[in-house]
């Protein structure tokens, strides 16, 4: 699994990409990440594909709003 994070501390926004490598790697999101509709997105399980997520917080990181920026790249 390959995961990278970017964070801009001045705006409380960060992004992450997840490369599934062999297709069996997934992320279990902590409860502090809130997704639209209340359910985390289905992660790509195809080998060597990448999902991209963005996150925003309005309480200094206690809770995060998760957004899908793109799946299955």
């Amino acid at each position: 699994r390959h995961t990278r994070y970017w964070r801009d501390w001045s705006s409380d926004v960060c992004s992450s990409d997840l490369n599934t490598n062999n297709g069996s790697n997934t992320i279990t999101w902590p409860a502090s990440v809130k997704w639209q509709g209340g359910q985390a997105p289905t992660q790509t399980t195809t080998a060597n594909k990448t999902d991209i997520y963005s996150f925003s917080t309005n309480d200094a990181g206690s809770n995060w709003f998760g957004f899908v920026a793109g799946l299955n790249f």
Side-chain angles (χ1 to χ4, degrees):
R1 174 175 67 177
H2 173 78
T3 305
R4 291 185 298 203
Y5 296 95
W6 298 273
R7 169 117 168 130
D8 178 349
W9 293 100
S10 64
S11 64
D12 292 322
V13 174
C14 70
S15 295
S16 172
D17 68 354
L18 169 68
N19 183 315
T20 59
N21 289 329
N22 64 8
S24 64
N25 295 313
T26 59
I27 293 176
T28 301
W29 301 104
S32 60
V33 177
K34 311 301 181 198
W35 299 96
Q36 183 177 358
Q39 185 168 336
T42 301
Q43 298 168 32
T44 300
T45 56
T46 304
N48 299 311
K49 294 294 182 175
T50 299
D51 294 341
I52 302 171
Y53 305 95
S54 294
F55 303 90
S56 178
T57 183
N58 61 3
D59 61 7
S62 293
N63 292 285
W64 292 90
F65 299 106
F67 306 90
V68 174
L71 299 173
N72 201 28
F73 284 97

